[in-house]
Amino acid sequence: MEDEKTITVKLVFGGGVEVLFSNKRNQSITIPAQAPASGSHPSRPADLRYLILWMSESLLTDRKELFVDGETVRPGILVLVNDTDWELEGELDYELQKGDEVVFISTLHGG
Amino acid sequence: MAPPRTCALCQTARPIVRRPKTGQQVCKECFFHVFETEVHNTIMSAKLFKPGDRVAIGASGGKDSTVLAHVMKVLNDRYDYGLEMYLLSIDEGITGYRDDSLESVKRNQQEYGLPLKILSYDELYGWTMDAIVEQIGRKNNCTFCGVFRRQALDRGAAALNVDHIVTGHNADDIAETVLMNIMRGDIARLGRCTLICTQGEDSIKRSKPFKYAYEKEIVMYAYFKKLDYFSTECIYSPDAYRGHARVFLKDLEAARPSAIIDIIHSGEAFQIGEAVELKAQQTCKRCGYMSSNDLCKACTLLESLEKGMAKLATGDRNRRRLDEEPAPENMRTIPMFHRATPAEPAAAP
């Protein structure tokens, strides 16, 4: 399924975000390796900005606003790439690598 | 390629998290250590406990109380606090929500080996939240739940004969509450909401060891420690007002992470003038719980439920109609648990 034109990454959901994704805690997805131009961003290798856009278009049906806010995730959702805070990895600009694991955890639920 | 980054604290390991409070990039081991040490410092500087204290951890099965139970256990062992700890859970009677979250509390109990007490609304008030919502609908039911939960925690703590209840309220929660109290102009609560420790008439202290702990770090801690917690939103109307404050605060934090601590400090700096008279406390004529009126809030709400007029109980406008209705016969008295009084100086019986 994967060739040079696509890239497969693993998505993990926790803290309540999983309810937006059919209650699946993790899934493997394959997306185009090259992100098409969008907004002010030219075509480029797939990055987290593109992944989030792709997820909101392909995986989310309704209540998108509970996950995305503009081009990024809603404040209060933590993102980790290969178990590292995405704030250390360039956030939206992080370029996805084959086999990366991207974790989304909501901090907004329950005490 | 840029040289690999290293942890700001140990200068060796690869960093895995950026601390919102300081902007420091820290590795996993240093993150655990600095998070635990800051909670320890909060506990020590507020002198929350003394050796031999009996402490109940308010445990909901959610992220904050799960991390709190874990950290309290770690610190009690590491620094030899000498605390006798219990888990105290309140079962509101919400099918598909609380029954599931109590399962994670039970797993925590196994893991930490702490005794667990579960006290239910049904047992105390004769009503589950499911039944209350059936009568009053989804609007305003949080008022009932909030009043009932607070009293239930106090009563459960008395039943466990503890000196102290600790809850998982974190820095984000407190900053939200500061914002809400400012927006509502609630001066009395604004003065109280930033206190790390409060003490009711029943002499049981309540405190918040996570007062300065950011939600992001609590969630990261749970993630990296692989702690098992429950994270479903309550199925009944979420607290909409708090929801707005929360979204606003998260937006502020995204712009400037120190905003959360800054707001707490602002809340602390508000001086409540002596002129603001706080209502004198008495005890409830029906159940004996501390109260500022003849009947405590829980008894008032319970009476409105028994009269089948609970919809009128949450607004002032309709209160008179509610008061005119005679109390039903056999009106339930909420059971009171009394703490065993500390050994009194040898007075002959």
Side-chain angles (χ1 to χ4, degrees), chain A residues 15-16 18 74-76 78 80 83-85 87-89 101 103 105 107-111, chain B residues 5 14-18 25 60 62-65 215-216 219 223-224 231 233 246 250-251:
Chain A
E18 62 277 13
R74 184 183 175 203
L78 303 181
L80 296 100
D83 266 0
T84 298
D85 189 353
E87 291 179 31
L88 304 181
E89 299 286 358
E101 181 182 273
V103 179
I105 312 175
T107 64
L108 299 172
H109 298 273
Chain B
R5 296 176 309 246
R14 192 177 65 84
I16 48 97
V17 65
R18 185 164 77 154
Q25 310 189 354
S60 68
K63 59 184 164 51
D64 299 302
S65 60
E215 193 156 66
K216 173 182 172 182
V219 173
Y223 177 77
F224 287 118
S231 54
E233 201 63 73
R246 196 173 181 93
K250 285 288 164 206
D251 287 341

Side-chain angles (χ1 to χ4, degrees), chain A residues 2-75:
Chain A
E2 187 165 351
D3 54 43
E4 308 87 72
K5 294 203 173 120
T6 60
I7 184 167
T8 298
V9 296
K10 190 179 167 202
L11 304 180
V12 179
F13 303 107
V17 197
E18 62 277 13
V19 300
L20 302 174
F21 296 91
S22 329
N23 266 314
K24 273 193 261 178
R25 283 207 167 251
N26 48 64
Q27 54 181 298
S28 244
I29 54 140
T30 301
I31 62 170
Q34 190 70 16
S38 65
S40 58
H41 304 285
S43 176
R44 65 210 181 270
D47 52 13
L48 283 173
R49 178 180 286 106
Y50 177 56
L51 176 68
I52 291 166
L53 178 72
W54 185 89
M55 288 169 72
S56 74
E57 286 176 346
S58 312
L59 300 180
L60 286 175
T61 43
D62 55 351
R63 300 193 293 169
K64 285 185 188 189
E65 73 283 358
L66 294 181
F67 183 68
V68 290
D69 181 10
E71 62 175 11
T72 188
V73 290
R74 184 183 175 203

Side-chain angles (χ1 to χ4, degrees), chain B residues 125-164:
Chain B
Y125 309 113
W127 287 79
T128 62
M129 275 310 288
D130 288 340
I132 292 172
V133 170
E134 208 168 290
Q135 181 181 132
I136 68 171
R138 299 202 164 210
K139 230 181 134 202
N140 288 330
N141 71 72
C142 295
T143 305
F144 284 78
C145 201
V147 169
F148 282 176
R149 187 178 322 98
R150 190 184 166 88
Q151 284 211 12
L153 268 178
D154 280 348
R155 290 168 200 265
L160 283 171
N161 196 25
V162 300
D163 308 288
H164 210 131

Side-chain angles (χ1 to χ4, degrees), chain B residues 21 38-39 42 46 48 68 167-175 192-197 207-214 218 260-261 264-265 267-268:
Chain B
K21 242 189 256 190
E38 284 183 6
V39 176
T42 303
L48 291 186
L68 181 65
T167 55
H169 292 96
N170 59 45
D172 297 55
D173 295 329
I174 295 170
R192 265 197 319 258
C193 72
T194 56
L195 296 176
I196 187 165
C197 182
S207 56
K208 305 166 183 160
F210 282 171
K211 178 180 174 185
Y212 297 114
Y214 271 55
I218 292 172
I260 291 172
I261 286 292
I264 297 177
H265 286 151
E268 288 170 336

